[in-house]
Amino acid sequence: MASEFYLIAQYFTRPTHHTQLGVGDDAALISISQGMEIAISADMLVAGTHFFHDADAYKLGWKSLAVNVSDMAAMGANPKWATLAIALPEVNTAWLAEFSRGFFACADAFNIDLIGGDTTRGPLTISVQIMGEVPIGQAIKRSNANVGDEIWVSGHCGDAALALAHMQGKLTLPADAFASCAEALHTPQPRVALGLALRQIASSAIDISDGLLADLGHILERSNVGASLILSHVPHSAYLADKLADGHRDEGVTNTHDNNILSMLLAGGDDYELCFTAPIEKHTEINNLSEKLALPLICIGRITANAGLIVHGFNDEILDFKETGFDHFS
Ligand code: ADP
Ligand code: MG
């Protein structure tokens, strides 16, 4: 491999902003601000599993950091430092230049220092570790949702899954719809400003990486509660609404929706929106926050004492997850 040191110097060394010692020594040194504790998370992206081998290198660079930033947002932590361990099958400098440009675009957007990592030869794999600060005791955990709390979601659900389905030839989107959904899939926008504001508001939070029902399910499990959701409140784009209506027309039956599209909405991954719970008294404050951040925040249901997750369908029928292929969520 062209000197590993050359690659690190050329593509992964940038000035830092809040780091005592960055790339270049055996370890990096950071200082934690007074009164803060550190939140740490790691995520690995493997070619062929988490992205296509021919994925756009810039977008892959962005996404590999963004999915980690999203975990900080979900904790109410302020992302500050990251490390990058990367295995490359070959040295492709054009690819590396684009990858690092995308990675640093995300780093710059959230004021994150890249402080170290590892570079080696192997099947294309990208492993990022991120560290952020949160005032001691104020991190938003999955385990603190309370009965009666409202359940909220930011942005839209299902667009990333819709783009993926288009790429896999499972459905066809109009060009403008695909462009918009592909942005959600390839260059997700982690909700850091929201996460920071939610420290004072939310009782629990999670970022949606595996799908709304699965991720909300983690909150329910950790908090020992259940939930009741209203399907018609789950926020989705006009593109997804169109596809839902297509299913409806195809079947020629009133009030029937395409279950595949429904599953993108409820179980599609990779959206990187936040799902959070908050006491009902915070309802107005959350609406105001939505306006301030220019980010839709929609209340989709309530936390219940009964264990399990109930979804009220478009006609207030209780959705049968077994029939619709959602059995692993019931
Ligand atoms: P060591 O042999 O001590 O593990 P390396 O030679 O692997 O150190 O790395 C040299 C320096 O470059 C270290 O500071 C390491 O953290 C940093 N580094 C290596 N790869 C990357 C990368 N992909 N991105 C950022 N920093 C990296
Ligand atoms: Mg060393």
Side-chain angles (χ1 to χ4, degrees):
M1 183 175 278
S3 158
E4 173 194 337
F5 304 102
Y6 168 81
L7 297 181
I8 296 166
Q10 188 73 12
Y11 299 108
F12 298 119
T13 307
R14 296 279 178 91
T16 54
H17 305 285
H18 38 252
T19 296
Q20 274 54 50
L21 183 64
V23 169
D25 214 311
D26 292 309
L29 298 171
I30 55 176
S31 296
I32 301 163
S33 316
Q34 202 168 15
M36 304 296 252
E37 55 192 347
I38 197 151
I40 305 180
S41 168
D43 248 312
M44 185 144 70
L45 299 179
V46 179
T49 302
H50 301 102
F51 59 91
F52 296 113
H53 285 269
D54 60 352
D56 180 286
Y58 176 93
K59 291 174 184 166
L60 193 56
W62 173 283
K63 186 168 179 174
S64 48
L65 183 55
V67 299
N68 283 275
V69 176
S70 177
D71 284 318
M72 294 290 102
M75 293 297 289
N78 187 20
K80 294 189 79 170
W81 303 281
T83 62
L84 167 66
I86 186 164
L88 301 164
E90 57 177 356
V91 176
N92 176 339
T93 52
W95 189 93
L96 273 169
E98 278 302 281
F99 177 86
S100 73
R101 202 167 65 79
F103 188 95
F104 282 111
C106 185
D108 291 344
F110 296 97
N111 195 20
I112 294 164
D113 287 347
L114 178 64
I115 59 170
D118 202 12
T119 307
T120 183
R121 189 189 285 268
L124 182 56
T125 305
I126 301 151
S127 177
V128 173
Q129 183 177 55
I130 193 158
M131 288 145 280
E133 287 183 330
V134 57
I136 293 170
Q138 286 187 28
I140 310 164
K141 300 179 195 155
R142 297 177 179 183
S143 54
N144 204 28
N146 296 303
V147 174
D149 282 355
E150 289 179 323
I151 301 165
W152 297 78
V153 171
S154 67
H156 292 146
C157 293
D159 279 0
L162 210 50
L164 186 64
H166 175 98
M167 291 167 72
Q168 293 170 335
K170 291 180 181 162
L171 52 77
T172 309
L173 291 170
D176 61 328
F178 177 62
S180 165
C181 294
E183 233 170 84
L185 178 63
H186 297 307
T187 48
Q189 302 296 320
R191 303 304 187 188
V192 173
L194 173 60
L196 296 183
L198 288 179
R199 282 172 185 167
Q200 312 296 335
I201 296 172
S203 49
S204 73
I206 192 165
D207 66 324
I208 303 177
S209 55
D210 294 334
L212 174 63
L213 296 190
D215 288 317
L216 175 59
H218 294 312
I219 288 184
L220 303 183
E221 203 172 310
R222 298 300 294 270
S223 299
N224 247 315
V225 291
S228 164
L229 295 190
I230 300 173
L231 179 59
S232 61
H233 291 194
V234 177
H236 51 272
S237 66
Y239 314 120
L240 196 138
D242 280 352
K243 283 289 165 194
L244 268 178
D246 283 354
H248 174 111
R249 277 194 292 274
D250 286 350
E251 293 184 31
V253 180
T254 357
N255 305 321
T256 306
H257 289 86
D258 186 325
N259 282 338
N260 290 324
I261 307 296
L262 212 51
S263 84
M264 288 174 202
L265 179 61
L266 295 176
D270 264 358
D271 285 316
Y272 299 100
E273 295 294 348
L274 295 187
C275 174
F276 59 95
T277 61
I280 195 158
E281 302 82 58
K282 303 282 187 183
H283 192 98
T284 309
E285 199 178 336
I286 294 169
N287 282 335
N288 294 340
L289 179 64
S290 169
E291 212 161 289
K292 188 175 142 207
L293 297 175
L295 175 67
L297 299 176
I298 304 296
C299 178
I300 60 169
R302 297 284 289 270
I303 294 293
T304 60
N306 310 340
L309 180 54
I310 287 175
V311 180
H312 298 266
F314 288 113
N315 299 298
D316 207 30
E317 78 281 19
I318 304 281
L319 286 194
D320 182 341
F321 289 123
K322 288 200 174 63
E323 226 169 67
T324 49
F326 292 113
D327 45 293
H328 47 300
F329 301 115
S330 56

